[in-house]
């Protein structure tokens, strides 16, 4: 996901304090694991996402728990914004992975096509994007949406 709100970038200061998420709670990324054993370990820096899809899932989860620092840390430095404004009224609810190309442990590039469901001030909607990922300094990072 490229921004904190669909179609919006901001120069405001990032929310640096993530929303507390119980380690045993289901991970927002949709995989059948608890947050701590799934995306939480990436957010905490205990491991790096091994695939482009795993990074996409962990970035979605970072938006869901409002961990702007992780989103920025996993964004390619050539396309990363200076700051990220995560709207407190925007709640990311569910992620669907629609397709992937490459992006495995054996690749240096990959794409992930996804649909992210959200609610903004009570109104539910979804956004779709095909995101480009590359390895940078040995780790997967988000580059930008494909046109």
């Amino acid at each position: 996901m490229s921004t904190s709100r669909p179609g919006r970038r901001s120069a405001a200061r990032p929310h640096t304090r993530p929303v507390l998420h119980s380690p045993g709670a289901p991970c927002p990324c949709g995989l059948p694991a608890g947050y701590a054993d799934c995306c939480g370990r990436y957010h905490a820096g205990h491991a790096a996402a091994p695939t482009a899809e795993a990074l996409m899932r962990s970035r979605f989860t970072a938006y869901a728990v409002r961990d702007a620092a992780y989103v920025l840390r996993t964004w390619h430095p050539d396309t990363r914004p200076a700051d990220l404004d995560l709207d407190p009224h925007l709640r990311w609810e569910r992620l669907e992975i629609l397709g992937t190309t490459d992006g495995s442990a054996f690749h240096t590039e990959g794409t992930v096509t996804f649909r992210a469901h959200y609610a903004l001030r009570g109104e539910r909607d979804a956004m779709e994007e095909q995101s480009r990922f590359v390895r940078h300094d040995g780790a997967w990072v988000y580059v930008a949406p494909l046109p």
Side-chain angles (χ1 to χ4, degrees), residues 2 9 59 68-84 136 141-144:
S2 56
R9 282 192 187 184
R59 285 174 55 86
Y70 181 81
V71 172
L72 290 170
R73 189 168 67 245
T74 58
W75 206 317
H76 195 283
D78 291 347
T79 57
R80 177 176 49 221
D83 293 314
L84 190 61
H136 179 75
V141 293
Y142 169 80
V143 178

